[in-house]
Amino acid sequence: VYKQEHGFDLLSPRMAVVVQQQIDSEIAGVGFSLNPLTNDYDEAVIDANWALGESVVAGLVTPDHFVVDKITRNIVEKKLGAKEVSIWLEPGGGTVRRENHRPDEFTLSDAQLGEITGVMTHVEDLYGKPMDIEWACAGGRLHVLQARPITAYVPLPPEMVTKPGE
């Protein structure tokens, strides 16, 4: 019946279904493999909040904000966000919002920032272009949830591109 109505069956190679496990993250956010504000290819930018990354992606909070030198892994900028709300998974299903959960603490350690920066740099190398990444930390492990090319930056002509760190 489905094939008659839609022109292909559910097992057709023209249709793909991706099923992902929901990560019950303690910390999550987004990262850019270049600094989109300065167009600096040697800097990674990371925004983070407690729990699910939905609050960061949807712009519901002022997240912690970090700028990391991709070459040295030195932290260039570290700003504590207000983290007004966080969204957590409920054990029985669904989510719950928490107001002002640990607003005076940074979400990420220097070591975690280095790990996220390393993963972003690796993904950027794989795709050969600056990438926007959604990530989550759960149970002491970093998970890459999604990666896509950054569209809001100025691509440099080849003659203006320098080696990393120059």
Side-chain angles (χ1 to χ4, degrees), residues 108-136:
L108 296 167
S109 68
D110 293 359
Q112 288 170 310
L113 288 167
E115 181 182 14
I116 294 168
T117 300
V119 168
M120 285 194 302
T121 301
H122 180 70
V123 171
E124 179 182 60
D125 289 344
L126 285 173
Y127 286 92
K129 60 182 75 168
M131 299 296 288
D132 169 356
I133 296 169
E134 292 181 30
W135 54 270

Side-chain angles (χ1 to χ4, degrees), residues 25-83:
S25 56
E26 295 97 29
I27 309 163
V30 297
F32 300 92
S33 69
L34 66 66
N35 189 330
L37 299 176
T38 64
N39 210 56
D40 190 333
Y41 283 62
D42 289 340
E43 291 181 344
V45 173
I46 300 165
D47 290 330
N49 193 20
W50 303 111
L52 303 178
E54 179 180 342
S55 63
V56 177
V57 174
L60 302 175
V61 297
T62 306
D64 289 345
H65 178 79
F66 308 93
V67 178
V68 181
D69 183 301
K70 292 181 348 189
I71 312 311
T72 65
R73 300 292 192 266
N74 290 332
I75 299 166
V76 176
E77 186 178 329
K78 193 173 187 177
K79 288 185 184 175
L80 188 64
K83 300 181 290 291

Side-chain angles (χ1 to χ4, degrees), residues 137-160:
C137 294
R141 295 190 59 204
L142 174 62
H143 302 268
V144 175
L145 307 177
Q146 179 173 292
R148 59 189 167 268
I150 296 174
T151 56
Y153 78 102
V154 179
L156 296 176
E159 60 272 9
M160 291 185 69

Side-chain angles (χ1 to χ4, degrees), residues 22 24 88-96 98:
Q22 175 72 54
D24 188 7
W88 300 81
L89 283 182
E90 286 277 64
T95 59
V96 62
R98 293 185 189 161

